[in-house]
């Protein structure tokens, strides 16, 4: 019934009021958020690094490094256990995850097994023995996995301390998966310096130099088993023979500072040790007066210091061959603590604050223009009802901000694109309601009754239509990339708030208008009646259109097989670097020539809309994760004097492979779940029609990528899934009207019934497509360079999806001979009609 009780009205506006309060901090400058309560000021939408600048790096704990450390520790433990048991052995060696040792006396093999029992029971290793007295100790993968998990947890704290030591308080660190760290540092940051500081283990130790022979003699001959050869940090490196035993480690350092003497042009590290370290250093320097201390940094000799006198106070100075900043970074790493294992950079996405600000402004302008265009179109067709739709749209945007603020979501550039897209799609619910009201009014029902029927009949269609896009958004969220997750969150939030505003706010406003004005018929200034005279014979040309579409799909598949798509770094690996000339326009020929001399493979440079800007793409280096980082470093060194680096994206082979698998599974999962939903809500013929139409859309969109050469990346997958959702949204609306007409006109020939259904929903189809495409057009023109290709693909996709819902999804029903008797046992899927009313609407 057309009635809102007082408590329902209060509940609706209470939700709106709470949403306004939660969203309010987003409209205030950061410095003025304190004007609100402390609880409210904490809830703001956080801008991603692509909108405010910063570096987003994913590190991976180096499994080989962890396995090596586990192997060394196991070898040491075996040696200690056998010596303590007075068991003689020989040939103690380790390789990969296997340690072998030969017990000299066969009679002591059982004793050796017993001595190593504690090792095998507590440290994840297994022991096998041979008849000849050889013992083989295997380190299980589970033991390596456990060590990696421990290293990951420890690294989170250490990396946090290192970033804080740089003086940048705005950062976020979280573990990701079983062996990765996701690190975001916002604002102005030197990405190269940051990575160097974060991925260096920075394990410092002090040993005695073995001076029984020179390092070079040791390399050329044999050295004592208690010592090993390590190389210096010099170029070329110098070999040193050092004792294997650390008597001071990073854990003993309580304070370390860098020091530069400008007059002597020297740089040094000043240190202070804890009580245990002070005691050990005093003992060693007293015992080995005249000898040398070897300062070991990450398995390389950083310095060899003569012992001229005992060091009793645990303090000293180590000269280093670093720059002043390098020494400062070294001191920072030592203060923060040594990493348990090497961290390898597997993904990097860096955006300069200037580019981030430009992207944010472009997104805001695109959003404002899109809102004006959509509201203008709705007003042009619906006048007063269009203004109600506009008010619902504005409240919808506030609700989206509130939801995102409440859950602490991050707003990214694709997220802004999602909000702009929602602007175009949100009015679809209003159009569905208004057009259903018009349909009911044309049957001769009293106007208040037509409104009641219109809302009631439209609700299930709105739900069915939006579920498909919501499913696509949920699947997108789990694809991996933060930017795409930002898009998925805004899209999903927008779908939920759109349904809320359509079934509550819009209805309340319309009912309030109805009670106050008491109109007896639809306002005459509603102009969508121009579609009422449409009697287009869509199915009359279905064979020609179907044939042409099939030919295009075949051509697209042939192009895909023969030419392929231009895969972006998300799927192919490699790097993208956006630069801006410090003076004048970017010189592409000079960039190509200078980078062509570097050992980084093929490069592609193209000019951006700004003549001073250029985009450089490097192919995957093929040498693992570190090779990708090295290539970017070479480009930075070559171009840094002439160009500012505005954006750097590096995706290593591990990430690109995972993203490829995730994207493929995501698209398949999304299709499967959506189609199962349609199968449940409709008859099997409708589901088959939706499958065929969806495949048609996917093939043509992929063909468009082949034809235009637009880069196919993770945002392209987001566009593809959204297009699938939109296309099915459109198809569901048409199918819903067909199902209704099948029940009403059981003898009508199916082609005529389909034509009638399409014509009846033509106003909704045209208006929804128009508003969505206007929003996307604003995004393409004003949204900036980074998001332009996404908007273009979405524009084409909306057009293709609208076409397929008419000319692909509908004719399939004729092929499979859908008839009304298929609906006879479908009572549970019928939409209940509201009871007829007489008199005035309830107050």
């Amino acid at each position: 019934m057309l009635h809102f009780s007082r408590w329902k009205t209060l509940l609706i506006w209470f939700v709106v009021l709470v949403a306004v309060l939660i969203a309010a901090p987003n409209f205030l400058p950061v410095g003025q958020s304190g004007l609100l309560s402390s609880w409210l000021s904490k809830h703001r939408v956080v801008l991603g690094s692509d909108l405010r600048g910063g570096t987003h790096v994913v590190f991976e704990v180096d499994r080989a490094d962890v396995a090596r450390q586990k192997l060394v520790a196991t070898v040491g433990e075996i040696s200690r256990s056998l010596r303590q048991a007075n068991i003689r052995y020989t040939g103690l060696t380790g390789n990969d995850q296997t340690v072998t040792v030969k017990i000299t006396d066969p009679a002591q093999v059982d004793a050796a097994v017993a001595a190593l029992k504690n090792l095998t029971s507590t440290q994840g290793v297994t022991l096998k023995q041979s008849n000849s007295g050889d013992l083989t100790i295997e380190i299980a993968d589970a033991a390596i996995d456990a060590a990696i998990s421990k290293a990951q947890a420890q690294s989170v704290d250490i990396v946090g301390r290192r970033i804080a030591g740089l003086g940048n308080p705005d950062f976020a660190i979280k573990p990701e998966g079983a062996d990765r760290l996701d690190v975001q540092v916002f604002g102005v940051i030197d990405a190269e310096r940051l990575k160097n500081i974060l991925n260096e283990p920075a394990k410092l130790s002090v040993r005695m130099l073995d001076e029984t022979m020179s390092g070079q003699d040791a390399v050329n001959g044999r050295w004592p088993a208690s010592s090993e050869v390590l190389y210096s940090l010099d170029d070329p490196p110098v070999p040193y023979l050092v004792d294997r035993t650390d008597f001071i480690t990073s854990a003993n350092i309580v304070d370390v500072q860098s020091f530069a003497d400008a007059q002597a042009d020297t740089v040094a590290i000043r240190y202070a040790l804890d009580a245990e370290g002070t005691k050990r250093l005093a003992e060693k320097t007293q015992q080995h007066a005249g000898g040398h201390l070897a300062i070991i940094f990450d398995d390389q000799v950083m310095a060899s210091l003569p012992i001229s006198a005992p060091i009793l106070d645990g303090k000293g100075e180590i000269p280093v061959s670093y720059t002043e900043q390098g020494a400062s970074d070294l001191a920072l790493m030592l203060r923060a603590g040594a990493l348990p294992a090497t961290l390898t950079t597997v993904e990097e996405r860096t955006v300069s604050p200037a580019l981030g600000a430009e992207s944010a402004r472009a997104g805001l302008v695109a959003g404002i223009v899109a809102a004006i265009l959509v509201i203008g179109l709705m007003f042009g067709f619906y006048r007063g009802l269009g203004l109600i739709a506009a008010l619902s749209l504005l409240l919808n945007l506030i609700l989206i901000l509130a939801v995102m603020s409440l859950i602490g979501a991050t707003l990214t550039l694709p997220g802004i694109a999602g909000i702009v897209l929602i602007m175009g799609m949100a009015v679809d619910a209003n159009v569905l309601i208004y057009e259903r009201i018009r349909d009911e009014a044309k049957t001769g029902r009293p106007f208040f009754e037509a409104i009641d029927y219109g809302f009631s009949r439209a609700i299930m269609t709105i739900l069915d239509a939006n579920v498909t896009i919501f499913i696509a958004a949920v699947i997108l969220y789990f694809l991996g990339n933060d930017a795409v997750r930002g898009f998925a969150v805004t899209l999903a939030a927008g779908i939920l708030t759109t349904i809320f505003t359509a079934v509550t706010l819009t209805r309340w406003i319309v009912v309030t208008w109805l009670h106050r004005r008491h109109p007896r018929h639809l306002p005459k200034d509603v102009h969508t009646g121009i579609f009422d005279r449409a009697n287009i014979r869509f199915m009359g040309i279905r064979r020609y259109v179907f044939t042409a579409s099939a030919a295009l799909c075949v051509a697209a598949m042939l192009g895909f097989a023969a030419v392929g798509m231009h895969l972006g770094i998300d799927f192919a690996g490699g790097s993208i670097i956006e630069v801006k000339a410090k003076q004048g326009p970017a010189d592409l020929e000079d960039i190509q020539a200078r980078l062509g001399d570097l050992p980084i493979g093929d490069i592609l440079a193209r000019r951006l809309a700004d003549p001073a800007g250029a985009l450089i793409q490097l192919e995957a280096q093929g040498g693992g994760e570190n090779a990708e980082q090295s290539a970017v470093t070479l480009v930075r060194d070559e171009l840094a004097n002439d160009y500012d680096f505005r954006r750097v994206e590096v995706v290593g082979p591990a990430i690109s492979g995972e993203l490829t698998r995730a994207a493929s599974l995501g698209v398949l999962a999304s299709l499967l779940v959506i189609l199962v939903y349609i199968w449940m809500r409709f008859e099997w013929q409708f589901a088959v029609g939706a499958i065929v139409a969806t495949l048609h859309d996917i093939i043509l969109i992929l063909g468009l990528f082949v034809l235009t050469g637009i880069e196919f990346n993770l945002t392209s997958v987001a566009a593809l899934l959204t297009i699938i959702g939109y296309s099915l949204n459109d198809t569901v609306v048409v199918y819903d009207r067909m199902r209704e007409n099948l029940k009403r006109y059981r003898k009508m020939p199916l082609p005529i019934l389909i034509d009638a259904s399409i014509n009846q929903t033509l106003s909704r189809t045209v208006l929804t497509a128009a508003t969505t495409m206007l929003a996307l057009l604003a995004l393409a023109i004003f949204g900036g360079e980074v998001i332009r290709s996404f908007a273009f693909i979405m524009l084409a996709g909306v057009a293709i999806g609208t076409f397929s819902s008419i000319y692909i999804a509908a004719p399939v029903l004729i092929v499979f001979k859908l008839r009304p008797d298929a609906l006879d046992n479908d009572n549970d899927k019928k939409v209940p009609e509201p009871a007829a009313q007489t008199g005035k609407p309830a107050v």
Side-chain angles (χ1 to χ4, degrees):
M1 295 180 61
L2 277 179
H3 173 74
F4 274 88
S5 63
R6 185 179 297 276
W7 72 267
K8 285 184 178 179
T9 301
L10 290 174
L11 181 60
I12 291 171
W13 287 104
F14 174 75
V15 171
V16 173
L17 177 61
V18 170
V20 170
L21 290 175
I22 294 175
N26 296 287
F27 299 102
L28 296 175
V30 176
Q32 298 182 14
S33 58
L35 298 175
L36 302 171
S37 70
S38 59
W39 182 83
L40 287 175
S41 62
K42 295 177 182 176
H43 292 87
R44 296 178 68 99
V45 174
V46 179
L47 296 183
S49 58
D50 59 348
L51 293 178
R52 56 172 162 158
T55 295
H56 180 193
V57 188
V58 178
F59 294 106
E60 185 175 83
V61 177
D62 191 324
R63 186 180 185 87
D65 189 22
V66 173
R68 182 184 61 81
Q69 292 182 45
K70 185 70 174 176
L71 182 68
V72 170
T74 302
V75 169
E77 184 65 27
I78 292 171
S79 176
R80 283 191 296 273
S81 297
L82 294 178
R83 284 201 306 268
Q84 288 173 1
N86 293 318
I87 298 173
R88 297 179 64 189
Y89 64 90
T90 185
L92 177 57
T93 59
N95 183 37
D96 195 16
Q97 293 177 215
T98 303
V99 181
T100 58
V101 61
K102 182 177 181 61
I103 306 303
T104 306
D105 184 358
Q108 289 188 305
V109 170
D110 291 340
V113 172
L116 299 177
K117 183 177 181 181
N118 183 62
L119 176 69
T120 57
S121 63
T122 61
Q123 298 191 22
V125 300
T126 58
L127 187 149
K128 300 176 183 177
Q129 66 180 87
S130 67
N131 295 331
S132 61
D134 290 340
L135 300 181
T136 301
I137 295 90
E138 295 282 351
I139 303 173
D141 287 338
I144 305 296
D145 293 339
I148 290 174
S149 179
K150 182 179 179 181
Q152 180 193 42
Q154 293 173 341
S155 297
V156 170
D157 293 333
I158 296 167
V159 167
R161 290 197 294 269
R162 290 187 182 184
I163 298 175
L166 287 170
N168 192 329
D170 196 2
F171 64 89
I173 306 169
K174 62 181 179 182
E176 184 176 278
D179 59 355
R180 289 182 182 158
L181 272 70
D182 185 290
V183 179
Q184 294 190 71
V185 184
F186 303 102
V188 180
I189 191 75
D190 183 340
E192 288 297 305
R193 183 187 178 202
L194 176 71
K195 289 182 295 182
N196 290 335
I197 289 174
L198 297 188
N199 62 17
E200 191 79 56
K203 293 179 181 178
L204 188 139
S205 62
V206 182
R207 304 181 190 177
M208 291 306 303
L209 197 67
D210 186 340
E211 299 183 78
T212 57
M213 65 176 70
S214 70
Q216 192 60 53
D217 289 341
V219 171
N220 296 331
R222 295 186 62 181
W223 60 83
S226 59
S227 300
E228 64 177 328
V229 173
L230 296 179
Y231 288 85
S232 70
L233 294 169
D234 303 305
D235 188 16
V238 177
Y240 285 89
L241 184 64
V242 299
D243 189 77
R244 290 183 181 273
T245 306
D246 300 329
F247 62 87
I248 292 175
T249 67
S250 300
N252 298 119
I253 300 175
V254 293
D255 185 36
V256 60
Q257 302 292 332
S258 62
F259 170 75
D261 188 337
Q263 293 181 345
D265 194 23
T266 59
V267 179
I269 296 293
R270 291 176 174 172
Y271 65 87
L273 303 178
D274 61 7
E276 183 64 27
T278 300
K279 178 182 177 182
R280 291 176 184 172
L281 182 60
E283 291 175 351
K284 286 290 184 179
T285 54
Q286 285 174 336
Q287 294 169 4
H288 297 86
H292 287 77
L293 296 175
I295 312 301
I296 313 299
F297 183 76
D298 288 343
D299 296 327
Q300 289 182 284
V301 178
M302 185 168 68
S304 173
L305 305 179
I307 304 174
S308 57
I311 305 173
L312 304 179
D313 60 357
K315 297 179 180 179
E317 191 174 284
I318 305 171
V320 294
S321 56
Y322 291 163
T323 63
E324 187 174 345
Q325 185 184 77
S328 174
D329 291 345
L330 174 60
L332 186 159
M333 289 186 281
L334 294 175
R335 285 195 301 271
L339 289 170
T342 302
L343 296 179
T344 301
T345 305
V346 295
E347 183 179 11
E348 176 197 350
R349 300 183 191 269
T350 298
V351 176
S352 70
L355 180 59
E358 288 177 16
S359 297
R361 284 194 298 270
L364 180 61
V365 170
I368 293 172
V369 172
I372 292 172
L373 292 175
V374 169
I375 291 172
L377 186 66
M378 289 298 291
F379 179 75
F381 275 98
Y382 289 106
R383 290 297 192 272
L385 291 177
L387 292 179
I388 293 176
L391 178 59
S392 294
L393 175 61
L394 295 177
L395 290 174
N396 191 18
L397 294 177
I398 292 174
L399 285 168
I400 293 174
L401 277 178
V403 170
M404 294 182 67
S405 299
L406 201 58
I407 64 177
T410 299
L411 181 63
T412 61
L413 185 56
I416 292 179
I419 292 176
V420 173
L421 182 62
I422 283 293
M423 288 183 188
M425 297 171 60
V427 296
D428 173 56
N430 295 91
V431 172
L432 279 170
I433 292 168
Y434 293 165
E435 291 308 296
R436 176 58 79 171
I437 291 173
R438 284 202 324 109
D439 289 344
E440 297 300 330
K442 284 188 292 186
T443 64
R445 296 183 189 276
F447 186 53
F448 68 87
E449 192 175 313
I451 290 177
D452 196 13
Y453 270 78
F455 272 100
S456 299
R457 289 177 178 270
I459 285 174
M460 284 309 299
T461 303
I462 292 170
L463 289 174
D464 282 335
N466 283 284
V467 161
T468 57
I469 299 180
F470 185 79
I471 291 172
V474 171
I475 298 291
L476 270 174
Y477 182 81
F478 293 99
L479 286 183
N481 183 290
D482 268 7
V484 172
R485 284 178 181 169
F487 174 78
V489 168
T490 54
L491 192 62
I495 294 300
L496 295 176
T497 56
T498 294
I499 293 173
F500 173 78
T501 54
V503 302
T504 58
L505 280 174
T506 300
R507 186 165 189 165
W508 183 88
I509 295 171
V510 170
V511 168
T512 302
W513 165 70
L514 186 66
H515 287 175
R516 292 184 178 180
R517 296 296 181 89
H518 303 290
R520 297 186 177 276
H521 52 76
L522 193 72
K524 295 181 180 179
D525 54 7
V526 173
H527 298 304
T528 54
I530 60 174
F531 298 102
D532 292 346
R533 293 183 291 275
N535 188 24
I536 303 172
R537 295 293 306 277
F538 293 100
M539 295 302 99
I541 59 171
R542 66 181 184 276
R543 292 184 177 86
Y544 305 107
V545 175
F546 219 90
T547 302
S549 294
L552 284 175
C553 288
V554 170
M557 288 188 289
L558 290 175
F560 183 80
V563 180
M565 292 187 297
H566 175 205
L567 294 179
I569 62 171
D570 290 332
F571 303 127
S575 308
I576 286 179
I577 303 169
E578 182 178 331
V579 297
K580 185 174 183 179
K582 294 181 179 180
Q583 292 183 344
D587 189 339
L588 296 187
E589 293 183 1
D590 179 62
I591 291 174
Q592 290 274 174
R594 292 166 65 179
L595 298 185
D597 294 334
L598 301 177
I600 56 176
D602 294 335
I603 65 167
L604 177 66
R606 65 179 178 86
R607 196 177 303 279
L608 300 176
D610 181 356
L615 194 69
I616 304 166
Q617 183 166 347
L618 311 184
E619 66 175 356
Q621 298 301 298
E625 316 295 342
N626 291 328
E628 304 295 342
Q629 293 295 323
S630 298
V632 173
T633 300
L634 289 173
V635 174
R636 283 184 182 275
D637 293 341
E638 181 65 35
L639 300 180
N641 292 334
D642 302 314
Y643 293 89
D644 291 323
F645 284 71
R646 290 159 60 84
R647 177 165 62 106
V648 176
E649 296 186 14
V650 186
V651 178
I655 292 291
S656 62
E658 290 175 9
L659 291 178
T660 301
R661 289 190 294 272
S664 302
L665 292 175
V667 171
L668 292 175
S670 180
L671 284 173
L672 180 63
V673 175
I674 289 172
L675 295 173
V676 166
Y677 176 80
I678 291 179
W679 198 298
M680 293 171 59
R681 290 288 301 135
F682 295 87
E683 292 63 47
W684 68 267
Q685 292 96 331
F686 289 107
V688 172
I691 292 172
V692 174
T694 301
L695 291 176
H696 164 272
D697 297 345
I698 292 173
I699 292 170
L700 288 189
I701 291 298
L702 294 180
L704 185 63
F705 276 103
V706 175
L707 180 65
T708 60
I710 292 175
E711 181 182 285
F712 188 83
N713 51 32
L714 208 52
T715 54
S716 304
V717 175
L720 184 63
L721 282 179
T722 308
I723 290 166
I724 291 171
Y726 177 88
S727 175
L728 288 170
N729 171 306
D730 211 19
T731 300
V732 164
V733 173
V734 177
Y735 275 0
D736 197 64
R737 184 58 64 94
M738 289 179 190
R739 182 171 60 176
E740 185 178 323
N741 286 336
L742 279 166
K743 296 174 183 178
R744 184 178 298 172
Y745 309 110
R746 305 177 69 86
K747 301 297 183 182
M748 183 180 291
L750 190 56
I752 296 176
L753 185 142
I754 290 175
D755 280 340
S757 301
I758 295 174
N759 280 290
Q760 288 167 8
T761 57
L762 191 60
S763 55
R764 177 267 168 194
T765 300
V766 172
L767 284 175
T768 299
T771 55
T772 304
M773 294 182 78
L774 280 175
L776 290 169
L777 186 63
L779 192 63
I781 295 174
F782 301 102
E785 186 78 31
V786 178
I787 210 70
R788 186 163 289 130
S789 60
F790 172 86
F792 171 75
I793 291 298
M794 282 296 303
L795 268 170
V798 168
I800 292 171
T802 303
F803 169 85
S804 69
S805 66
I806 295 174
Y807 280 112
I808 304 298
V812 171
L813 303 180
I814 300 175
V815 173
F816 286 95
K817 298 181 173 57
L818 176 67
R819 292 308 312 155
D821 53 12
L823 310 177
D824 287 345
N825 297 320
D826 199 31
N827 294 328
D828 59 317
K829 297 180 183 176
K830 291 181 181 178
V831 180
E833 296 185 359
Q837 301 178 48
T838 58
K840 295 182 180 180
V843 179

